[in-house]
Amino acid sequence: MKLQFPPEAEAVRAEFAAWLDANTPPQQEAIVRARSTADSPPWARRFQRAMFDAGWLMPGQPPEHGGRNAPLLEQFVIQEELLRRRIYRSFNPQGLSIIAPSILMFGTAEQKQRWAVPVLRGELTAALGMSEPGAGSDLAGLRTRAVADGDGFVVNGQKVWTSGAHHADFILTFVRTDPDVPKHKGISVLIIPTDTPGVTRRPFGSFCAKDDLDFNEVFFDNAFVPRENLVGELNAGWAVTTGTLGEERALLWLTNYERIDDTVRDFAAHVRGTPIADDPIVQDWYGRVVVDATALRLLGYRSVAKMARGEDPAELSILKLFGSEAAQQSANSALEALGPAALDRDRPTAPFNHMNNEHMSSSWFDRYCRSFAGTIAGGTSEIQRNIIAERILGLPR
Amino acid sequence: MDLDLDDDQRALQETVQTVVAKACSPAFVRSVIEDSVDPAGWWSTMVELDWPALAIAEDAGGLGLTWIELAIVLEALGYAADPSPYLATTTQFAPIVRRCGDADQVRTWLGAVAAGTVGTLALGGHAIRATSVDGGWQLDGRVEHVVDGDRAGEIAVVATAADDVAVFVVNRAAAGGSLTVAPIPAFDHTVHIADLSFGATVVGESRRLAGGDIAAGVAVAVEEATLGWSIATVGACQRILDLVVDYVKQRHQFGVPIGSFQAVKHKAVDMYVAIERARAIAYYAALTIVEDDPRRSVAVSMAKAAAGECQEVAFQHGVQLFGGMGFTWENDLQIALRRAKLGAAMFGSTSDHRRRVAQEALAG
């Protein structure tokens, strides 16, 4: 056991910090703001491209994919440095962390060059077409149908919750290609450009605001997709849902850590020196939040270390479950502790940071609401509990 | 940052768990509770295995290992509801001697601990008055809830001498009738707790710890004692979870194991997550002690808070998931529940420690 990171990792952190000091765009360049998770403004695209070229964007990847073949621990300290500075690597987060890596892992050489690398360089943005009105937690029950037709597929059906689809250049779409086999075995993955005839995108407001437009319904009406856009083998798409990230899965908890760590920092900055900070009830819950943040970091470190040693940490589900729920409770606790001081929905809760999303400094109510993305998206807390009970505790299905 | 046990530590953990399962078995612990069997033999076994000596420096007769190795033993003992005086001796008496004693005192009393002497800590503060008498000191006052206060051979008493904090090592036998011991029948039958009254107890000057900044030493020693309870609590909670998981796998209702029901699974997972959370912080806190890291004090409070929160979840869900079976005397669940709950009351409540963590963070 050691409290410090190895000197090699700290050296990389220092090198990256110096690079960020020199290359982070100033605030006056960042006036145009992102409107969705697939709407990367030109200045953000330039920054992402600079990160790519310097090998900081996807440090675990080879240089041609925006990396430097860095070992996991170094990838971790690089992400930690971004988090500390509250810098978004990309304003198309799902493109960067799920879609491009999936294509890099399962796609053809041509698909990598045509779709994945441009997403990483900030030239294209992408959305993820998984959930459907009838397929949420039971994702394998998806019904959007793709029928082989000549040198391609004809797609019919509907996706929903497709974040950023209305601004995305393409949608990585999970479709049913064989309805006559067990549900996990008849799924394939298609890259569907959003300008394909027959593709209709309808953004709808979230419960945060009527004009908070990120979610989309996406309709496919006889949309023709060329065969060359099939990612991986036909009917082998389920593997793409589970194996997308490789060892970087061990870093996914950082998203929730960022949320809870932001709450710890922002709430303290808000109340420090005021009577609220002396309220024993406030101290009681705030202490729990600080403990949660620390525990998440420690459990996360442990998973990173295990993954770096080549072990597959079983506890990634715990990080998702615990991290998302702790982050949620922290935002709610801040909201309740501040009482009427938290009523103003336009009052920022953290200094504006042009390198990050406005949501990160929005009202405590908004932050609490958005925290439900953590406990619902990517496998609900209930599903995570089932997984942990069965795979770790060995309880019967 | 590496928070995993190394190979030697893992090997120690395996050995300790094996020994504890055999020599401090559920049947043995039950015999201590029900038949008043003396656990002295079990304590002797641990002394032969050098467990009290683990974290004591080699020049004082110890093995020179760290708080991590100590934590491994404490967790296994918490798991088994160990009825021996190990916790108080190694996490209360030994730390205060090490932190507050001069070189000779450290060698003397830590050497004694390594050889099997039982010790404890009586945090008297202002309640114990020390006055200078010819050739030594006289102690007067009363300390409540001293762990192993009824069976420790050496009792480190934190007292007030004039306006200063002072620590005296009182030998029970030498104190004779000037020391009145009132055992408390604690709800955990395996733990010894007693109130101690000192009435003109005289101790020699050589028994006043003289190693420098006493107040600072006491503060760190109290942190070590606090962490000891935290880790023991994690062990007890793990025992509760293990019993529950076994039970819900084999208990059938409606024709299926009750462990297949989501309502049951989800509670078990909440116990598991609370334990993982508390254990991670406890070992992190142990590491801050090993490395004398400035985060130590807050880390210990976090560990105590997390252990306290963990036992709330483990106790509540543990009994609930066992149903009627958990409500019986003969089920070993109750033994682990008592150990888990008792720790929460010692060396600051869960809420006390949470607020301490908050105060540090909010003071910025």
Side-chain angles (χ1 to χ4, degrees), chain B residues 263-282:
Chain B
V264 171
K265 283 180 179 165
H266 290 191
K267 280 194 162 74
V269 168
D270 287 345
M271 295 166 73
Y272 175 72
V273 171
I275 293 168
E276 289 293 307
R277 172 181 183 269
R279 183 186 287 118
I281 296 189

Side-chain angles (χ1 to χ4, degrees), chain B residues 224-236:
Chain B
E224 293 186 61
T226 306
L227 183 58
W229 275 111
S230 308
I231 290 174
T233 302
V234 170

Side-chain angles (χ1 to χ4, degrees), chain B residues 22 24 36 88 117 337 343 351 364:
Chain B
K22 214 161 152 189
C24 187
S36 304
T117 292
L337 294 171
S351 178

Side-chain angles (χ1 to χ4, degrees), chain B:
Chain B
M1 192 164 230
D2 180 5
L3 299 161
D4 275 324
L5 301 179
D6 65 27
D7 289 345
D8 289 345
Q9 289 163 341
R10 248 187 279 262
L12 174 72
Q13 187 177 45
E14 257 178 55
T15 307
V16 168
Q17 286 171 350
T18 308
V19 170
V20 170
K22 214 161 152 189
C24 187
S25 67
F28 168 71
V29 172
R30 192 167 278 273
S31 74
V32 173
I33 297 168
E34 295 184 358
D35 309 324
S36 304
V37 166
D38 187 346
W42 161 231
W43 172 248
S44 304
T45 303
M46 285 196 274
V47 174
E48 280 162 30
L49 291 167
D50 277 333
W51 288 1
L54 278 180
I56 289 172
E58 285 176 279
D59 60 8
L63 299 188
L65 297 172
T66 72
W67 241 101
I68 304 299
E69 286 78 9
L70 184 56
I72 287 168
V73 177
L74 292 167
E75 188 185 344
L77 294 178
Y79 187 93
D82 161 48
S84 86
Y86 189 87
L87 181 79
T89 302
T90 59
T91 72
Q92 297 184 20
F93 182 70
I96 198 138
V97 169
R98 182 160 89 82
R99 303 286 177 181
C100 298
D102 65 25
D104 282 345
Q105 291 170 327
V106 168
R107 255 196 310 279
T108 303
W109 281 307
L110 293 193
V113 166
T117 292
V118 171
T120 190
L121 171 64
L123 274 178
H126 291 292
I128 301 283
R129 213 170 46 256
T131 42
S132 184
V133 295
D134 190 26
W137 297 81
Q138 174 182 319
L139 304 182
D140 292 277
R142 178 180 155 88
V143 197
E144 295 185 334
H145 308 132
V146 177
V147 184
D148 292 322
D150 57 343
R151 59 176 169 177
E154 302 285 354
I155 303 162
V157 182
V158 178
T160 304
D163 285 331
D164 292 330
V165 181
V167 184
F168 302 89
V169 178
V170 174
N171 181 275
R172 160 185 310 286
S178 71
L179 170 57
T180 311
V181 177
I184 308 282
F187 58 72
D188 177 350
H189 306 80
T190 59
V191 168
H192 286 232
I193 310 276
D195 294 349
L196 304 182
S197 300
F198 298 90
T201 304
V202 175
V203 290
E205 179 62 36
S206 64
R207 285 185 162 265
R208 186 169 80 110
L209 296 183
D213 188 342
I214 300 298
V218 170
V220 183
V222 168
E223 287 166 9
E224 293 186 61
T226 306
L227 183 58
W229 275 111
S230 308
I231 290 174
T233 302
V234 170
C237 291
Q238 183 68 51
R239 170 73 168 153
I240 296 170
L241 177 63
D242 288 354
L243 288 168
V244 164
V245 166
D246 282 350
Y247 180 72
V248 302
K249 279 182 194 168
Q250 43 107 346
R251 168 75 177 167
H252 281 64
Q253 284 291 276
F254 308 104
V256 292
I258 62 170
S260 64
F261 299 130
Q262 289 198 8
V264 171
K265 283 180 179 165
H266 290 191
K267 280 194 162 74
V269 168
D270 287 345
M271 295 166 73
Y272 175 72
V273 171
I275 293 168
E276 289 293 307
R277 172 181 183 269
R279 183 186 287 118
I281 296 189
Y283 278 85
Y284 161 71
L287 192 52
T288 63
I289 292 176
V290 175
E291 299 196 2
D292 198 20
D293 188 275
R295 291 167 285 188
R296 182 198 64 230
S297 180
V298 173
V300 167
S301 278
M302 288 188 184
K304 189 64 167 55
E309 289 157 4
C310 172
Q311 61 78 23
E312 286 170 34
V313 177
F315 194 115
Q316 167 101 33
H317 292 348
V319 180
Q320 189 65 28
L321 293 182
F322 252 95
M325 285 306 294
F327 209 74
T328 64
W329 176 258
E330 73 175 62
N331 192 308
D332 285 338
L333 181 70
Q334 53 105 347
I335 296 174
L337 294 171
R338 290 164 191 276
R339 175 57 58 94
K341 187 59 88 181
L342 187 104
M346 307 303 289
F347 288 86
S349 72
T350 306
S351 178
D352 290 340
H353 284 286
R354 271 200 299 259
R355 281 182 281 126
R356 214 181 136 245
V357 170
Q359 285 157 8
E360 289 284 332
L362 292 173

Side-chain angles (χ1 to χ4, degrees), chain A residues 72-88:
Chain A
L72 187 64
L73 217 52
E74 290 175 19
Q75 297 176 48
F76 175 76
V77 295
I78 289 165
Q79 282 217 30
E80 208 179 37
E81 188 61 25
L82 287 168
L83 194 137
R84 202 175 62 72
R85 296 172 183 237
R86 304 193 190 197
I87 292 177
Y88 242 21

